[in-house]
Amino acid sequence: MTAPGKIDRKDARLSLVHIGIGYFAVFLGTLCGVLQGLVRSGGFELPPWLNYYQILTAHGVLLALVFTTYFIYGFFFSGMSRTMGTLSNAVRRFSWLGFSVMTLGTILATIMIVMNEASVMYTFYVPLKAHPLFYIGLALFIVGTWISGFALLAHYFGWKKKHKGEITPLFGFMTTITIIMWIIACLGVVSTVLFQIIPWSLGWVDTINVELSRSLFWYFGHPLVYFWLLPAYMAWYVIVPKIIGGKVFSDSLARLSFILFLLFSIPVGFHHQLVEPGISTFWKFLQTCLTFMVVFPSLMTAFSMFATFELAGRAKGATGLFGWFKKLPFHDVRFLALFLAMLFFIPGGAGGLVNASFQMDEVVHNTLWIVGHFHITVGTPVVMTFFGITYWLIPYLTNRKLTAGMNKFGKIQIIVWAVGMFFMSTSQHILGLFGAPRRTAFTTYGDHPDALRWFEGLLVNQVTMAVGGVLLFISAMMMIGAVIYLWAGAPQSDEEEFPIAETAEDALQTPKIFENWWIWIGTAFVLIAIAYTIPLWEIIQMAPPGSQPFRTW
Ligand code: HAS
Ligand code: CU
């Protein structure tokens, strides 16, 4: 029998293996990242056997796809076991199957990148063509996540069956929303990979409808960012209140924000394609409006965080308008990491509003501004939250202790990450406004005066960006060190908890309709049908001649 608050050793192992692979991807992916930064500064050349677009592809795939997905599943397995009971043997077997298929796909895709057969970036836009095994690896990766996803859904609905009429635990509800959104979103990328790209890359068909492929990719690509963000929000909603000695401000607001993500995160992909031909402006405009709808659950989250902080502070006797701020436990790395993550998301999210505005996107699209945007959305709110979770989750899973020394080390590691990201992302945003493009190695375009400006600005230039990159690499290596120490070196203890907050007594009763999955999944599909049916039909009907494959490296 598992002690209260602890999880079954077999569930712990399933979670740990996922987190371990995730951090191995961090090691490789950040190594590529620092090399990219040094190349762009003009002060460093890659060895002839390594090309810039190869390491850029590895950086994006390993960090944005592999690290995030493995970590998220490791977090889900442990949280679902902790809050909804030990996983059944069947659920665990299915999860190991999903893990095996995911990992086979990851290995295949990574080998193709290492062999320089897939320098197509993490968005693998056609008509750039990688080796067919790269795409087959990606397809296996997605199928593996589906198998594990369905296993987690089985665990959630199994709990519901045993607890008829009860409101489900918040962690489980949020995991289920995220998995359902992920499964629906992946339909886009699986369609283009299976029915367009793989046959085309194998030479079974000569040409490919580029606009259709990109549109199916971005049908998946924007909800992909919420697949990363929602687990971070889960930690902000469910775990932070416990760490700060407070309660969940409103269970229903938390659930409603996740339902809004399920409804509005998919029919918005065209906001990545605003400058692309082949999509009529009406549909771009409609999806831009829906994009502004999907901002609301984030603003609700911001409000909820402030309310949680203030209520916790006041309960401790805070007075004055901002007295509650001083009561926050900044000394605790488990909170500091998540608080800094939230702070970074303010400009990160605001930048997203710029990107989503037609005219402004014309200025920033395909510039370093976008790279700056996603380093303070994925690279900090998400990654720094995952780092913060790691400081207690690994000791919890390995029955070890987050020592005071490691807490101190962790605060330094998190602050180095924050400083590095501040320098790198600020430079990227401003260089992007100066016109510096993304996805290019070092170049001054024949010493063009505009390009030279990217190296001369006072604080903001491509060298500052590289300095930020080096700080991020140092912080990432510190994090890897912390993971190894917490996994195998920290003192044995079973004190470490998986912090799960209770809901505030005076919070409104959560409406039962929130658990009516048919309504929410049905509405999500209706919105998707409205936003995508006609434009995809037009893209197919009025397709220009397809494109041959290109290999530019
Ligand atoms: Fe984005 C491009 C629009 C959010 C990631 N985005 C990207 C790319 C990535 C990415 C990876 O409309 C590049 C893809 C590529 O390779 O081409 N993005 C948005 C919008 C949002 C948004 C409207 N993005 C994210 C998140 C990401 C992410 C989240 C990852 C996790 N993005 C775009 C657009 C593009 C784009 C266009 C395409 C641009 C182009 O031309 O290519 C929204 O979700 C943002 C809403 C959020 C806010 C901020 C809310 C603030 C919160 C924290 C509050 C702080 C607290 C702390 C409570 C409005 C929740 C307490 C503070 C105290 C002081 C006490
Ligand atoms: Cu997007």
mmCIF file of all heavy atoms in Angstrom, residues 218 221-223 225-226 268-269 271-272 291 373, ligand 2:
data_model
loop_
_atom_site.group_PDB
_atom_site.id
_atom_site.type_symbol
_atom_site.label_atom_id
_atom_site.label_comp_id
_atom_site.label_asym_id
_atom_site.label_seq_id
_atom_site.Cartn_x
_atom_site.Cartn_y
_atom_site.Cartn_z
ATOM 1 N N TRP A 218 0.588 24.389 -39.053
ATOM 2 C CA TRP A 218 0.242 25.434 -38.080
ATOM 3 C C TRP A 218 -1.107 25.207 -37.427
ATOM 4 O O TRP A 218 -1.372 25.743 -36.353
ATOM 5 C CB TRP A 218 0.376 26.839 -38.681
ATOM 6 C CG TRP A 218 1.821 27.202 -38.784
ATOM 7 C CD1 TRP A 218 2.556 27.393 -39.907
ATOM 8 C CD2 TRP A 218 2.732 27.322 -37.678
ATOM 9 N NE1 TRP A 218 3.865 27.645 -39.593
ATOM 10 C CE2 TRP A 218 3.997 27.608 -38.225
ATOM 11 C CE3 TRP A 218 2.604 27.217 -36.294
ATOM 12 C CZ2 TRP A 218 5.132 27.809 -37.437
ATOM 13 C CZ3 TRP A 218 3.731 27.413 -35.506
ATOM 14 C CH2 TRP A 218 4.972 27.698 -36.082
ATOM 15 N N GLY A 221 0.669 23.722 -34.918
ATOM 16 C CA GLY A 221 1.782 24.478 -34.325
ATOM 17 C C GLY A 221 1.385 25.432 -33.231
ATOM 18 O O GLY A 221 2.110 25.584 -32.246
ATOM 19 N N HIS A 222 0.209 26.090 -33.372
ATOM 20 C CA HIS A 222 -0.107 27.003 -32.274
ATOM 21 C C HIS A 222 -0.558 26.234 -31.030
ATOM 22 O O HIS A 222 -0.028 26.484 -29.953
ATOM 23 C CB HIS A 222 -1.119 28.081 -32.637
ATOM 24 C CG HIS A 222 -1.228 29.075 -31.514
ATOM 25 N ND1 HIS A 222 -0.230 29.984 -31.245
ATOM 26 C CD2 HIS A 222 -2.144 29.228 -30.554
ATOM 27 C CE1 HIS A 222 -0.565 30.691 -30.164
ATOM 28 N NE2 HIS A 222 -1.703 30.234 -29.720
ATOM 29 N N PRO A 223 -1.476 25.268 -31.130
ATOM 30 C CA PRO A 223 -1.807 24.505 -29.915
ATOM 31 C C PRO A 223 -0.592 23.802 -29.319
ATOM 32 O O PRO A 223 -0.538 23.554 -28.122
ATOM 33 C CB PRO A 223 -2.858 23.508 -30.371
ATOM 34 C CG PRO A 223 -2.909 23.576 -31.833
ATOM 35 C CD PRO A 223 -2.332 24.882 -32.248
ATOM 36 N N VAL A 225 2.117 25.208 -28.696
ATOM 37 C CA VAL A 225 2.674 26.105 -27.687
ATOM 38 C C VAL A 225 1.858 26.029 -26.410
ATOM 39 O O VAL A 225 2.393 26.179 -25.309
ATOM 40 C CB VAL A 225 2.812 27.561 -28.190
ATOM 41 C CG1 VAL A 225 3.485 27.625 -29.539
ATOM 42 C CG2 VAL A 225 1.555 28.359 -28.157
ATOM 43 N N TYR A 226 0.550 25.726 -26.546
ATOM 44 C CA TYR A 226 -0.241 25.612 -25.314
ATOM 45 C C TYR A 226 -0.055 24.231 -24.675
ATOM 46 O O TYR A 226 -0.222 24.063 -23.479
ATOM 47 C CB TYR A 226 -1.710 25.915 -25.577
ATOM 48 C CG TYR A 226 -1.891 27.355 -25.950
ATOM 49 C CD1 TYR A 226 -2.634 27.729 -27.058
ATOM 50 C CD2 TYR A 226 -1.248 28.353 -25.235
ATOM 51 C CE1 TYR A 226 -2.752 29.058 -27.426
ATOM 52 C CE2 TYR A 226 -1.349 29.689 -25.596
ATOM 53 C CZ TYR A 226 -2.100 30.026 -26.686
ATOM 54 O OH TYR A 226 -2.203 31.330 -27.052
ATOM 55 N N VAL A 268 -6.607 28.853 -34.784
ATOM 56 C CA VAL A 268 -5.884 30.145 -34.848
ATOM 57 C C VAL A 268 -4.573 30.046 -35.620
ATOM 58 O O VAL A 268 -3.820 31.006 -35.694
ATOM 59 C CB VAL A 268 -5.591 30.658 -33.409
ATOM 60 C CG1 VAL A 268 -6.863 30.970 -32.662
ATOM 61 C CG2 VAL A 268 -4.746 29.648 -32.633
ATOM 62 N N GLY A 269 -4.277 28.901 -36.206
ATOM 63 C CA GLY A 269 -2.946 28.658 -36.781
ATOM 64 C C GLY A 269 -2.533 29.639 -37.856
ATOM 65 O O GLY A 269 -1.357 29.894 -38.082
ATOM 66 N N HIS A 271 -2.397 32.617 -37.763
ATOM 67 C CA HIS A 271 -1.650 33.798 -37.274
ATOM 68 C C HIS A 271 -0.143 33.577 -37.441
ATOM 69 O O HIS A 271 0.660 34.484 -37.265
ATOM 70 C CB HIS A 271 -2.038 34.195 -35.853
ATOM 71 C CG HIS A 271 -1.580 33.300 -34.750
ATOM 72 N ND1 HIS A 271 -2.400 32.905 -33.733
ATOM 73 C CD2 HIS A 271 -0.402 32.715 -34.470
ATOM 74 C CE1 HIS A 271 -1.739 32.146 -32.891
ATOM 75 N NE2 HIS A 271 -0.519 32.024 -33.320
ATOM 76 N N HIS A 272 0.236 32.355 -37.795
ATOM 77 C CA HIS A 272 1.643 32.111 -38.145
ATOM 78 C C HIS A 272 1.868 32.287 -39.637
ATOM 79 O O HIS A 272 2.982 32.138 -40.127
ATOM 80 C CB HIS A 272 2.062 30.694 -37.718
ATOM 81 C CG HIS A 272 2.134 30.551 -36.226
ATOM 82 N ND1 HIS A 272 3.277 30.753 -35.497
ATOM 83 C CD2 HIS A 272 1.168 30.266 -35.320
ATOM 84 C CE1 HIS A 272 3.027 30.579 -34.209
ATOM 85 N NE2 HIS A 272 1.746 30.288 -34.075
ATOM 86 N N THR A 291 -7.556 34.362 -32.211
ATOM 87 C CA THR A 291 -6.281 34.427 -31.462
ATOM 88 C C THR A 291 -6.430 35.364 -30.268
ATOM 89 O O THR A 291 -5.987 35.063 -29.166
ATOM 90 C CB THR A 291 -5.146 34.943 -32.378
ATOM 91 O OG1 THR A 291 -5.019 34.062 -33.491
ATOM 92 C CG2 THR A 291 -3.821 35.040 -31.644
ATOM 93 N N HIS A 373 10.584 36.479 -28.952
ATOM 94 C CA HIS A 373 9.244 36.156 -28.416
ATOM 95 C C HIS A 373 9.226 34.743 -27.853
ATOM 96 O O HIS A 373 8.805 34.516 -26.715
ATOM 97 C CB HIS A 373 8.199 36.294 -29.519
ATOM 98 C CG HIS A 373 6.872 35.653 -29.218
ATOM 99 N ND1 HIS A 373 6.004 36.137 -28.276
ATOM 100 C CD2 HIS A 373 6.288 34.548 -29.742
ATOM 101 C CE1 HIS A 373 4.923 35.368 -28.240
ATOM 102 N NE2 HIS A 373 5.076 34.392 -29.108
HETATM 103 CU CU CU B 2 0.852 30.755 -32.517
#
